[in-house]
Amino acid sequence: GQSLEQPSEVTAVEGAIVQINCTYQTSGFYGLSWYQQHDGGAPTFLSYNALDGLEETGRFSSFLSRSDSYGYLLLQELQMKDSASYFCAVRDTGGFKTIFGAGTRLFVKA
Amino acid sequence: DAGVIQSPRHEVTEMGQEVTLRCKPISGHNSLFWYRQTMMRGLELLIYFNNNVPIDDSGMPEDRFSAKMPNASFSTLKIQPSEPRDSAVYFCASSPLAGGYEQYFGPGTRLTVT
């Protein structure tokens, strides 16, 4: 079967650093994407990792280890506006489709 | 540039009625996806088109659901007849890449079937 696992909720304080983990089990693998979704909004693309290592985009970084079937999203200098749900997604080579995890709800406290 | 456009934004209908959701992808994007999101089931891929051709419709729940993409700038998702369990937010997304690891989502259509 195919599955992605990520924590359901994470809470952190403003200004802190938070890491959201994602482990996956899929029939094929092309890369790991991350999306952000605010309540009532649509998912927004954040980052993509096809190769092992860390990709940095401003306050957000994403990491991938293909040997461990594991990745994470790192959010630095947390702001209240970062409170949202974060989804990891795997591009499956089998059908060239993207499979989304259940999402991690991040609560940022003052 | 305009993003992905979906209409209507909200739809309330009675059980048994036909519902048609519409999507205009970003110009130049050759992949289009229809998703359904609910609290219980999360974000589910219903169908994926590449160059207007349906590539994977394994996520379409049942025969009551159908999707078309007659040209590169328009797609529809139809539910006939609708049932209360179809109530959800339906998103359309497009991508410039086959398989779409970078997808751009529309604002969604919130469907309520009573």
Side-chain angles (χ1 to χ4, degrees), chain A residues 75-92:
Chain A
L75 295 82
Q76 301 179 325
E77 301 174 15
L78 280 174
Q79 302 176 8
M80 299 298 288
K81 66 178 181 179
D82 297 329
S83 293
S85 292
Y86 292 85
F87 296 86
C88 60
V90 167
R91 184 181 165 200
D92 177 6

Side-chain angles (χ1 to χ4, degrees), chain A residues 27-38:
Chain A
S27 58
F29 180 81
Y30 255 111
L32 183 70
S33 302
W34 288 92
Y35 289 79
Q36 178 192 61
Q37 185 179 28
H38 287 98

Side-chain angles (χ1 to χ4, degrees), chain B residues 23-70:
Chain B
C23 175
K24 176 179 171 54
I26 294 173
S27 177
H29 285 194
N30 58 12
S31 294
L32 183 138
F33 307 80
W34 281 100
Y35 291 91
R36 177 173 68 176
Q37 187 174 39
T38 61
M39 289 294 294
M40 291 297 294
R41 300 177 66 88
L43 196 61
E44 301 175 278
L45 176 66
L46 299 178
I47 188 168
Y48 157 47
F49 291 88
N50 185 245
N51 291 325
N52 313 338
V53 176
I55 302 299
D56 188 335
D57 64 354
S58 59
M60 295 288 263
E62 50 198 271
D63 292 345
R64 297 185 299 106
F65 285 68
S66 63
K68 295 181 179 180
M69 191 165 186

